[in-house]
Amino acid sequence: YLEASVHSLSRVLTLALTVTLVASSCSSGSDDTAPPAPGGGADERSPAVVLQESADATIAIDRASVVLAAELDLAGRVLALDAAGRVDYAAVVADVTFGAEQDGQAQELQVVADGQTAWIGGEGAVASAFPDGARYVSGDAAQLAGADSFGPVNLVGVALVLRGATDVEAGQVEEIDGVETRTYTTTITFLDAVEAAGDDADAFRSALNLTGDAEQAELDIEVAIGPDDVVRRLELVIDGGDLPVGGTYDLTISDVGDEVEVPQAPPADQVATGPEADALFERLLTS
């Protein structure tokens, strides 16, 4: 049984993969060898430490472009989630689109902010909540900045899985987005990743939430990390073993630290106004 309904903006912002699986359920050691750092220099840290520290560096980014695609298959029932866009968290500038699809039902939310005003747009199943046939509701950008659903950890929180890295193999140098990165591979159980996330365990569960027996799944990971420790590419495969659960989660981060272009405001005739629209804007941020 798969919970996949997206009831609010915060669910989409965290891109929750929520699984409840009732079925019979049928690593470790650290590699202390220091791999060459991107660019040919030496990194005195072990590969495991590189991955662990990259989790913190990644969820601390202020400005970046992000592309995310996730798919979860539970006994043939597929939930697909995606996100793409660019964000400057300090300036509250954003243009990001989030989508979810399951059982032929698709919905999409767009978050646009220019530093002063924020707009939330909806299409598909979620569009019926918007008053007067409008496509957007709006509010003060400060409301968006203060929302629990707005922040790097909500968009790239899957990178917290790397805090649980122990047995890690360093790979080759790979150029991504003009940045020399080092690739690494590791396998982490979901429960070990949750435990290693510490105070951020809830944020990690919001990014990749397996429940019931599906918590026993292993996560096979290949990640490319830049010289600033920020993840540029993360490919995760959910291996349920004998359980009928599997999936993938692919994250790409680019333009790290680059200035984010302020997006254009949506057309005024597509933005709902009035008390009902204001209430919906707040509800989408906080419910």
Side-chain angles (χ1 to χ4, degrees):
Y1 156 76
L2 177 63
E3 285 183 11
S5 298
V6 181
H7 300 297
S8 66
L9 175 63
S10 75
R11 280 189 180 271
V12 179
L13 286 175
T14 55
L15 296 176
L17 293 179
T18 306
V19 180
T20 303
L21 181 61
V22 181
S24 303
S25 31
C26 19
S27 85
S28 51
S30 180
D31 179 353
D32 293 324
T33 304
D43 191 332
E44 297 181 354
R45 300 171 298 173
S46 71
V49 170
V50 171
L51 265 60
Q52 292 161 13
E53 295 185 353
S54 75
D56 294 326
T58 301
I59 65 170
I61 55 176
D62 286 330
R63 298 186 292 192
S65 297
V66 175
V67 176
L68 187 155
E71 186 173 283
L72 181 66
D73 186 333
L74 178 59
R77 192 176 179 194
V78 178
L79 167 65
L81 297 166
D82 61 81
R86 57 193 189 277
V87 184
D88 182 333
Y89 291 102
V92 200
V93 172
D95 189 354
V96 186
T97 300
F98 306 87
E101 182 174 358
Q102 186 181 34
D103 296 336
Q105 297 287 324
Q107 54 189 324
E108 182 177 282
L109 284 172
Q110 182 182 16
V111 178
V112 180
D114 64 6
Q116 301 297 320
T117 304
W119 297 267
I120 301 172
E123 290 187 1
V126 73
S128 61
F130 286 70
D132 304 322
R135 223 192 120 187
Y136 295 88
V137 291
S138 65
D140 195 312
Q143 292 176 267
L144 176 63
D148 290 340
S149 54
F150 187 72
V153 73
N154 298 106
L155 188 56
V156 298
V158 70
L160 289 166
V161 69
L162 301 177
R163 283 190 185 162
T166 54
D167 188 2
V168 181
E169 181 177 345
Q172 301 299 312
V173 170
E174 176 182 346
E175 185 171 309
I176 299 176
D177 188 37
V179 177
E180 279 196 348
T181 68
R182 173 70 61 183
T183 62
Y184 300 85
T185 55
T186 188
T187 297
I188 305 167
T189 68
F190 175 74
L191 288 178
D192 284 346
V194 171
E195 182 177 2
D199 292 341
D200 294 311
D202 288 344
F204 174 64
R205 279 191 174 276
S206 292
L208 184 67
N209 194 348
L210 304 178
T211 62
D213 288 340
E215 289 184 333
Q216 306 303 317
E218 291 189 337
L219 310 176
D220 298 324
I221 298 164
E222 179 174 294
V223 61
I225 298 172
D228 54 3
D229 281 352
V230 174
V231 169
R232 293 316 201 278
R233 176 178 55 80
L234 188 151
E235 298 176 356
L236 182 151
V237 176
I238 301 168
D239 182 0
D242 293 334
L243 299 172
V245 60
T248 59
Y249 198 124
D250 297 330
L251 171 69
T252 301
I253 302 174
S254 60
D255 307 322
V256 176
D258 292 351
E259 184 174 353
V260 175
E261 181 181 354
V262 177
Q264 290 186 342
D269 61 359
Q270 295 184 16
V271 182
T273 59
E276 185 180 355
D278 294 342
L280 177 59
F281 181 84
E282 293 186 9
R283 187 164 70 250
L284 288 169
L285 290 181
T286 61
S287 60

